Amino acid sequence: MTRRLTVIAGPAAGTIYELSDGQILVIGRGGDSDTIIDDNRMSRIHCRIIVDGDATSVADAGSSSGTFVGGEKIEEQVLQPGDVVMAGRTQFRYDLGDVVHLPSADATISDEDMPPAATPASSPSTSLVDLAGSMIHDYRLDEIIARGNNGMVYRATDTKKEMVCAVKVMPPTFASDEDQKARFIRAMKTMMPIKHDHIVEIYNAGKEGAFCWIAMEYVDGSSLAEVIQHIGVEGMLDWKEVWRVGVQVGRALHEASKHMVVHRNLTPANILRRKADRAVLLGDLMLAKALEGTHAVQITKPGQLIGEVPFMSPERTRGQENIDTRSDIYGLGATMYALLTGHPPNEGGSLPELIQKVREQDPVKPKEFQLAIDELFQDVVMKMLAKNPDDRYASADQLLRELNRIGKFNSLEADWTGWEG
């Protein structure tokens, strides 16, 4: 019986791998794989397709970003005809026999499977992974590049301007009432006038069909969450590079403060590092504010936001409403700490135990993990992580002044354009 794996999205789109009984197809970007796909989000050996009699299964091979089937992360899973496997940015469809099977309701649909006229507004589908290849407003959603608790991000094409962009689509539950929709539109309108070298620019936003969406600048690179994941393999970042991250995100927070904007959810996943020049850009500004309301994800729900809790300020874990820029400074400090050490300042245990650590347990100083760290810089990071907001820097301006002083003392260069200090 004919089995095949077709690449429906990603750098090798259109490639077909014929599968035979007893075969193990090694998928990856490295020379030891059977595919050697030029996908920088794919591990050198990412996953394996195993054909054993009537069963064909996929098994993750310890990849850094995970292997997904129908949008769900898996370790090993038997494939059904029409299933879509995602490794890095590359999506494969598994077909059996001479018939090209349409994906199941949980799988990604390619241009080949979905007529161009089908759009979120006219389609009954409410699954985010079903949107690949479809249109939302003027944007063609080409491929999934990131996923999180509050939506899916696609690499997209603005069909009017003929330019690459990123489109974030929130799940249907996000905009199931008018108050939530209005809050989202207000938040995005606040963000659209903000232009800064280190803030991801918002181009457009709206609601179409069941989905709220944001069209924004496409950053070709990785999130700092991905950078931190790779630190164990590649080695911890030099403290001077982490200093530059602090300066650039600090400048972004300083600009946001001019518009009375507080991020409220600053984590490594919301900071992108551009591949071309290693500049970092802050994303998802105002999204936490837009998420408030009846459908906001609460920290008290067991298992929710577990990946973000280590980067939350103590006051955020208490659900305090009067969150200000000092909470953002804590989130940036926790991110810088993880870049220096390879792990967040507090981690491990059950969710209640982790929250207690964030609130009460002082982290080990970074020099315990990287001796070369400048003492003054370590002091800055530890002050950013103070449990009491009053003990942190009161503003991004204060933080930048201290980072500037350290930079001058160590002859470090950074772009201070737009900062009045």
Side-chain angles (χ1 to χ4, degrees):
M1 184 175 292
T2 303
R3 303 176 179 89
R4 74 177 68 84
L5 205 62
T6 303
V7 181
I8 61 172
T15 304
I16 298 174
Y17 300 97
E18 298 289 347
L19 304 173
S20 57
D21 191 23
Q23 181 181 359
I24 298 178
L25 179 73
V26 180
I27 293 174
R29 61 179 173 84
D32 292 334
S33 73
D34 297 318
T35 58
I36 317 180
I37 295 173
D38 186 16
D39 179 344
N40 62 3
R41 290 180 183 268
M42 186 183 286
S43 296
R44 294 183 65 80
I45 299 293
H46 197 101
C47 61
R48 296 177 175 86
I49 303 296
I50 303 164
V51 184
D52 184 10
D54 293 335
T56 301
S57 59
V58 57
D60 185 73
S63 64
S64 59
S65 58
T67 300
F68 298 81
V69 176
E72 299 294 327
K73 190 173 184 179
I74 60 94
E75 292 297 325
E76 185 169 357
Q77 182 168 316
V78 174
L79 294 175
Q80 301 300 320
D83 275 351
V84 172
V85 178
M86 184 168 181
R89 298 184 183 198
T90 303
Q91 298 174 42
F92 306 81
R93 186 186 59 222
Y94 173 64
D95 291 311
L96 182 63
D98 296 327
V99 178
V100 176
H101 298 268
L102 288 177
S104 62
D106 293 326
T108 303
I109 297 178
S110 68
D111 285 327
E112 180 183 340
D113 298 321
M114 177 181 280
T119 68
S122 60
S123 170
S125 172
T126 55
S127 172
L128 289 179
V129 295
D130 281 349
L131 299 181
S134 66
M135 293 287 295
I136 191 164
H137 195 63
D138 296 328
Y139 308 99
R140 186 183 69 241
L141 308 182
D142 296 325
E143 60 175 317
I144 297 168
I145 55 175
R147 63 191 75 215
N149 291 313
N150 51 34
M152 199 88 75
V153 182
Y154 294 84
R155 187 181 185 275
T157 301
D158 184 330
T159 56
K160 282 194 173 181
K161 296 181 179 179
E162 296 184 350
M163 61 177 279
V164 176
C165 61
V167 175
K168 184 163 193 169
V169 186
M170 269 63 74
T173 53
F174 176 81
S176 58
D177 65 66
E178 289 303 311
D179 287 343
Q180 187 78 14
K181 172 185 171 182
R183 185 181 296 109
F184 168 74
I185 297 297
R186 284 197 303 271
M188 292 306 106
K189 284 183 176 179
T190 300
M191 276 305 304
M192 287 173 67
I194 300 178
K195 314 293 181 188
H196 190 272
D197 289 344
H198 296 291
I199 294 176
V200 175
E201 183 177 353
I202 302 295
Y203 298 143
N204 202 353
K207 180 175 182 289
E208 189 160 339
F211 304 98
C212 277
W213 55 270
I214 311 166
M216 54 193 156
E217 175 183 2
Y218 173 70
V219 180
D220 184 12
S222 305
S223 72
L224 291 191
E226 293 171 291
V227 173
I228 291 166
Q229 282 182 346
H230 287 101
I231 279 176
V233 176
E234 298 174 357
M236 289 165 278
L237 291 190
D238 184 279
W239 76 267
K240 296 173 184 176
E241 188 169 352
V242 181
W243 173 85
R244 292 186 183 92
V245 169
V247 170
Q248 293 176 15
V249 180
R251 285 185 55 211
L253 293 178
H254 177 68
E255 180 66 23
S257 69
K258 294 180 185 178
H259 299 265
M260 308 299 291
V261 170
V262 178
H263 194 293
R264 302 162 69 91
N265 187 35
L266 201 160
T267 70
N270 294 326
I271 304 172
L272 304 177
R273 185 171 70 171
R274 192 162 49 215
K275 184 167 56 177
D277 57 4
R278 298 177 77 85
V280 295
L281 290 82
L282 181 60
D284 275 0
L285 269 167
M286 290 294 289
L287 187 57
K289 184 71 174 176
L291 284 165
E292 288 182 349
T294 55
H295 299 290
V297 179
Q298 301 297 321
I299 183 65
T300 51
K301 290 183 181 179
Q304 294 286 356
L305 295 176
I306 191 68
E308 297 178 5
V309 171
F311 299 94
M312 286 183 175
S313 64
E315 59 270 27
R316 276 194 63 209
T317 69
R318 294 186 171 93
Q320 292 179 206
E321 294 183 2
N322 58 335
I323 297 298
D324 58 28
T325 192
R326 294 173 298 177
S327 181
D328 288 347
I329 287 172
Y330 182 98
L332 175 55
T335 299
M336 292 163 66
Y337 184 100
L339 290 170
L340 291 169
T341 66
H343 55 81
N346 298 108
E347 60 181 347
S350 64
L351 182 59
E353 290 169 342
L354 178 56
I355 291 172
Q356 185 175 9
K357 288 179 182 179
V358 170
R359 293 173 179 175
E360 301 174 5
Q361 184 173 301
D362 290 329
V364 176
K365 291 185 177 181
K367 278 183 75 71
E368 294 290 324
F369 304 96
Q370 188 180 161
L371 293 175
I373 296 172
D374 178 84
E375 287 275 3
L376 294 175
F377 182 61
Q378 174 177 260
D379 292 344
V380 168
V381 174
M382 295 302 289
K383 183 171 181 176
M384 295 169 75
L385 294 172
K387 302 298 183 184
N388 187 339
D390 293 337
D391 294 330
R392 298 176 209 145
Y393 296 99
S395 65
D397 183 70
Q398 281 190 12
L399 171 63
L400 288 170
R401 289 179 188 278
E402 196 63 22
L403 292 173
N404 187 24
R405 184 171 72 89
I406 292 170
K408 288 180 176 178
F409 185 79
N410 289 277
S411 301
L412 301 179
E413 294 183 0
D415 180 11
W416 299 94
T417 306
W419 178 58
E420 300 81 0

